[in-house]
Amino acid sequence: MVEDAVGKLSLWKINLAFFIVLFGLLNLSFYLHHQEIEKFFVEHVRQDSYTLTEVIRLNVETGSLAEKIIKNILYHFLSNTASFLDYLDSIEPFSPDELLGFIQENGLAGVLIERQNGEILSVPEGWSPEDIKCHNNLIYIKKYNLFMFCTENLSSLKRVVIGSRVENIKPFYEKISVEGIINRISKLPNVRSVEIIPHKIDQPKVSLYKKDFKIEIPFQNKTIIVYLKAKNLELLEKKLRERYLFLSISLSFVGLILTIIFYFFQKNYLENIRDYEKSLAQQKEEVALGRAAATLAHEIKNPINNISLALQRLTKEAKNLSQEELKLLELLNKSLLQSTKTIDSLLNYVRIEKNFNKEKVELSSLILEILDRYQLSLKDKKIKLYKDLEKVFVLGNRELLLQVLENLLLNALEAIKESGIIIISLKPQDKNVILTIKNSGELPPKDKLEEIFNPYITFKTKGTGLGLALVKKIIKAHDGEVYAEITNDNIFKIEIHLPRISNEDTHS
């Protein structure tokens, strides 16, 4: 699992451990240099200059080490992301929209993938500021604050290039970089200027240059030259302590903030992975359900219809059958009709898509139409109906919304065995339309309310378990939400929120 790999990586733990070590090194360095300054306080300023040389060198090297560690953290993160991209694309190749969704979910600047057949997909367009040659490494483009990772010859893909802009790291990254440290050193009170020359020396050198001390410090293949003002050593010691204190507090604060950021970043990343996997599993389940429904329609529904027609004909033409045999035929016919209804419900459930025709629909008229259809059922069960309907408009499919209202009313009728109440309310609220249907009668368990919208879940003695599942699917397809609850007075309540449009709006 991808989330297991990310969990093992634990970026926030690595970050915290890194800053603890860095803080310990900084404090150890301060302690050692403080003791050295006290020991050689009475010596000539030249010896003290060597002490300053060591302080600067250690800070620069520490900054360089921190920069490498941060790059290493980002390298592993983006490498895992590239592997995850390769894995997903091997299952089903990304479309541009899917790849853009992946980029947005993971907070990336952009992604370029090149498949084995030479096909290249780069999203979003123009995200890369320059042509990057792939060397399986991580580079940082300071001008664009962009980390770019490139890798080749994965399991499925030929090449993957990932760009990431981590805004929360930028200030810290600039601070601990060699240029950042050099810049801060040049602003110290006793330092006149600092420069780096492409010339290597073996040992630090201290010499007088005009009225300053010229301190040459070897660093990697270069030399850092510091022009230090020749002031009293006691003042220098005081300033060094102040700087060390400032660096310690800053490092502690930055380390804590970055650790918190990494923690929540990784937490959100794992949650996004889980949501994506859940969505993918649901899509696969719906595809399998659609295939099963098609098989049922082809293999079962047609034979059932033929049997039903045969039973009806047999009932009409058979004159010598007893009453018991006629009742048996009627029972068989009802069972076949119920089976056909179940198959139709399944087909309706799997065929709902989001790309259906929409028009301006006035909901209260649909509600009255459904109530008119079931007037006799309401009277037969002695149900008191209360309605409070306002004229509101939504953008939707009239037939699908009628199906929602019919399913909800049938659900309420089935719950009431004999005598009860049904309350229907339709109100505008801000940018939404709120439809509320309450009914007395048989109630689902309170701890199972989340399950009543799942397919084939029913807590009634009769029913396919597809009615409320179909309601939720249609409402979701209309960019709405549906909620269920049991009120304190033991009334079952369904509440639907749909986007509202004004009477003047016209859509097709």
Side-chain angles (χ1 to χ4, degrees), residues 478-489:
H478 282 78
D479 299 319
E481 296 290 340
V482 57
Y483 309 94
E485 67 171 294
I486 298 175
T487 63
N488 294 331
D489 51 352

Side-chain angles (χ1 to χ4, degrees), residues 30-43 47-48 51 233-234 236-238 240-241:
F30 169 74
Y31 174 79
L32 294 175
H33 289 92
H34 177 72
Q35 295 298 318
E36 187 176 355
I37 289 174
E38 286 185 348
K39 181 179 180 181
F40 296 102
F41 184 79
V42 294
E43 294 185 9
Q47 276 71 30
D48 291 302
T51 302
L233 291 178
E234 185 176 356
L236 176 60
E237 182 183 54
K238 180 182 178 180
L240 284 174
R241 289 187 180 185

Side-chain angles (χ1 to χ4, degrees), residues 135-200:
H135 296 294
N136 195 31
N137 60 359
L138 176 72
I139 63 172
Y140 176 65
I141 304 175
K142 184 177 180 181
K143 180 180 178 181
Y144 300 97
N145 184 33
L146 181 67
F147 288 94
M148 295 193 69
F149 172 79
C150 182
T151 183
E152 294 180 312
N153 299 323
L154 291 89
S155 299
S156 174
L157 297 174
K158 182 178 180 181
R159 178 167 65 117
V160 175
V161 180
I162 302 176
S164 175
R165 289 187 180 91
V166 189
E167 295 297 334
N168 295 319
I169 287 182
K170 181 180 178 182
F172 175 72
Y173 183 81
E174 291 178 349
K175 182 176 286 188
I176 55 87
S177 65
V178 175
E179 291 82 4
I181 293 174
I182 293 300
N183 183 55
R184 291 202 306 278
I185 292 173
S186 65
K187 295 178 181 179
L188 291 172
N190 291 325
V191 175
R192 190 173 301 279
S193 64
V194 180
E195 63 182 31
I196 301 177
I197 61 174
H199 174 69
K200 182 180 179 181

Side-chain angles (χ1 to χ4, degrees), residues 3-37:
E3 59 183 87
D4 293 337
V6 176
K8 291 179 181 179
L9 184 59
S10 297
L11 294 178
W12 71 271
K13 292 181 181 179
I14 295 175
N15 180 75
L16 180 61
F18 162 70
F19 273 98
I20 290 175
V21 172
L22 194 61
F23 183 78
L25 290 174
L26 183 64
N27 281 276
L28 178 62
S29 172
F30 169 74
Y31 174 79
L32 294 175
H33 289 92
H34 177 72
Q35 295 298 318
E36 187 176 355
I37 289 174

